[in-house]
Amino acid sequence: ITVRFSVTGATFPSPSSGSATTNAGGQATFCYSASLPGEDVIHAFADTNGDNTQDAGEPFGDATKTWMPPASTEFCEVKITQGGWIIANNGDRASFGGNAKVSADGSSVQGQQEYQDHGPAQPRNVHSIELLATTCSDDLTSASIFGTATIDGSGTFVFRIDVTDNGEPGTNDSYGIMLSDGYVSGQKQLQGGNVQIHKS
């Protein structure tokens, strides 16, 4: 029997839907990944007549999946300086800055992040409330920063910032942000500014 799955949530689930055929034990498996921490709702039904639609009487089930931030990289430090800015996916100019520093034991992250989309497509000011995790690649060329933030001074939204440090003076560095309200800047080469990743 074909089982059809769908995932809803603010984690950017990928893929957000799919199908699988039951095995001899009546089980079907669906795997997906998420880009943001948060909770997803997973819905599945047995498409017994194969019409791609859940009909009355077809067995179904629901579950939740909670994604947690990754473990931080000890001593990881990220600095974004000199007026960083990009052109986002929506065509808007966006500026950003901030810093993040992980404690020696990896248990806490200090710092702040700010992102400003100057419009006109999706103007917004994002300011971090708390940094939850920061990870650095072994070669210190890429890092990810997870946290919560306000948008235009209100609410609590989960964010993820991905940056690359491709050496000085920063013109080959990149920046990208995604937010749990669905906003995605895209991973973009810096038009100005500098990203520096190192271990303190």
Side-chain angles (χ1 to χ4, degrees):
I1 299 295
T2 298
V3 179
R4 304 197 185 278
F5 299 84
S6 60
V7 184
T8 56
T11 67
F12 294 91
S14 178
S16 58
S17 62
S19 63
T21 303
T22 54
N23 60 18
Q27 297 175 324
T29 300
F30 171 72
C31 297
Y32 77 100
S33 61
S35 295
L36 289 181
E39 186 171 272
D40 293 327
V41 176
I42 304 162
H43 179 74
F45 71 94
D47 190 6
T48 55
N49 62 0
D51 67 351
N52 295 328
T53 303
Q54 183 176 341
D55 302 308
E58 290 182 328
F60 68 92
D62 293 292
T64 58
K65 166 66 178 176
T66 301
W67 296 89
M68 303 300 291
S72 291
T73 305
E74 295 175 1
F75 299 108
C76 174
E77 187 169 3
V78 181
K79 293 182 179 179
I80 304 166
T81 59
Q82 299 174 14
W85 68 280
I86 58 172
I87 301 297
N89 279 345
N90 57 21
D92 290 349
R93 178 181 172 130
S95 55
F96 51 85
N99 61 84
K101 184 176 182 179
V102 180
S103 62
D105 61 2
S107 64
S108 64
V109 185
Q110 302 297 318
Q112 59 85 33
Q113 299 292 318
E114 187 160 10
Y115 176 84
Q116 177 83 46
D117 184 317
H118 298 280
Q122 292 177 285
R124 59 180 48 217
N125 178 265
V126 180
H127 197 280
S128 63
I129 300 169
E130 180 183 12
L131 302 188
L132 302 173
T134 298
T135 62
C136 283
S137 63
D138 290 341
D139 62 3
L140 302 180
T141 60
S142 63
S144 297
I145 302 166
F146 298 83
T148 57
T150 58
I151 297 178
D152 297 329
S154 62
T156 301
F157 302 87
V158 179
F159 71 84
R160 172 179 176 165
I161 295 169
D162 293 303
V163 292
T164 63
D165 178 2
N166 291 311
E168 301 307 310
T171 51
N172 290 321
D173 297 346
S174 71
Y175 177 97
I177 187 172
M178 56 177 56
L179 290 146
S180 58
D181 72 339
Y183 180 93
V184 179
S185 71
Q187 194 69 26
K188 301 296 183 178
Q189 185 172 334
L190 269 56
Q191 301 297 305
N194 194 359
V195 172
Q196 295 175 314
I197 304 170
H198 56 90
K199 289 193 174 181
S200 55

